[in-house]
Amino acid sequence: MRYARVSVDGRAVWGRVGEADIELLSASPIDGDPVVTGAVPRSAAVWLPPVVPSVFYAVGMNYPRHIAHAGAETPVRPEVGYRANNALTGHGSPIVRPVAVEGRFEAEPELVAVIGRTLRHATYEEARAAVFGWTIGNDVSARTWQHQDRTFWRSKNSDTFKPMGPWIETDVDALAQTTTLRVNGAVRARFPTGDMVFDPFDHLVEMTKHVTVHPGDVLWMGAESVGRIEPGDTVDVEISGIGVLSNPVHLEGNHP
């Protein structure tokens, strides 16, 4: 099943995504069994981030090739960082590069786990059962800021730097898929999605030793490769079995 959030008359509404239409739902499917209240054509949908998490977790340096390219050490245990909800934007919405950004501006294609149950001190099997579904993320990064600042507060958390969507897919073996990054239709990266040092469930086991994870929280799983993007580009992140997240890149103050 595919679930999304769309804008209807200025309101955020959950929906069940079909081939032609999106059935509008009375509430979040993560929280229960909502009823259908209407429908909109899929072609006319204004896509929102498919969930707004209470906590936005992110994994770094989780693919061997990325670790080798960066000259970093392979992690010996799962660890996570945090991102900010203000950076989220939906499928089809622009990634806006601030005019102050100089140097490399890059896209990182990532698998995202959407949590469906409260977890604390989870076993591996409990962690597997707690994932409601999977979506796609693009971890946009301003590298000069990343190296200038003590934290990632603006290099990865500026407004629009975290496209996520277009929907949550609940019926897929996410770790058996292929991730592809395209810029203006040209492939910039392609890798096995599950070729991770530690998988999502490893991370949830380690995380929940110390923090409680709640329904609607998200866990971004890192990328093997990245691709440079510029204003005027269109960047697509595809994960087979899930879908395609597509966003244009605009320069701040220079977009429609």
Side-chain angles (χ1 to χ4, degrees):
M1 199 71 70
R2 289 174 171 173
Y3 295 103
R5 290 171 64 250
V6 295
S7 179
V8 177
D9 297 328
R11 296 181 301 113
V13 180
W14 279 92
R16 183 184 298 123
V17 181
E19 291 300 319
D21 296 327
I22 299 175
E23 294 180 328
L24 303 179
L25 302 176
S26 59
S28 164
I30 299 174
D31 299 328
D33 190 17
V35 299
V36 176
T37 62
V40 295
R42 181 167 156 176
S43 60
V46 177
W47 304 90
L48 302 173
V51 64
V52 177
S54 60
V55 184
F56 184 162
Y57 299 98
V59 177
M61 294 296 173
N62 195 35
Y63 284 82
R65 185 177 171 188
H66 190 185
I67 293 167
H69 178 74
E73 294 184 1
T74 300
V76 296
R77 63 185 176 91
E79 293 188 68
V80 296
Y82 297 88
R83 299 289 180 266
N85 283 350
N86 68 276
L88 289 171
T89 195
H91 170 68
S93 296
I95 299 163
V96 180
R97 192 186 79 178
V99 293
V101 166
E102 298 178 349
R104 289 183 298 137
F105 191 56
E106 293 182 328
E108 300 185 39
E110 304 201 11
L111 175 68
V112 180
V114 181
I115 308 305
R117 302 180 189 177
T118 301
L119 285 180
R120 185 77 160 95
H121 299 296
T123 66
Y124 190 87
E125 289 306 315
E126 287 170 339
R128 285 179 62 92
V131 174
F132 174 77
W134 307 89
T135 189
I136 303 169
N138 182 355
D139 182 16
V140 174
S141 303
R143 299 303 185 191
T144 299
W145 286 352
Q146 184 173 335
H147 298 305
Q148 285 178 340
D149 301 341
R150 290 181 297 162
T151 71
F152 292 159
W153 74 276
R154 58 174 179 165
S155 65
K156 288 180 176 285
N157 291 316
S158 291
D159 292 350
T160 77
F161 276 24
K162 293 295 168 284
M164 185 169 68
W167 48 62
I168 302 167
E169 173 61 66
T170 63
D171 187 21
V172 64
D173 181 356
L175 300 183
Q177 306 307 313
T178 299
T179 299
T180 304
L181 173 67
R182 297 183 181 89
V183 179
N184 301 325
V187 174
R188 297 290 180 84
R190 178 173 286 143
F191 55 90
T193 307
D195 190 21
M196 302 172 181
V197 178
F198 295 107
D199 70 23
F201 319 117
D202 292 323
H203 279 87
L204 287 169
V205 169
E206 184 67 23
M207 290 161 59
T208 61
K209 292 177 182 177
H210 310 285
V211 299
T212 302
V213 175
H214 297 279
D217 288 349
V218 297
L219 175 61
W220 289 42
M221 293 309 305
E224 183 189 83
S225 304
V226 305
R228 188 161 183 166
I229 56 176
E230 300 288 349
D233 289 343
T234 296
V235 56
D236 299 333
V237 179
E238 178 178 4
I239 301 181
S240 58
I242 300 178
V244 179
L245 170 66
S246 182
N247 299 88
V249 184
H250 292 167
L251 183 64
E252 184 181 24
N254 195 36
H255 55 88

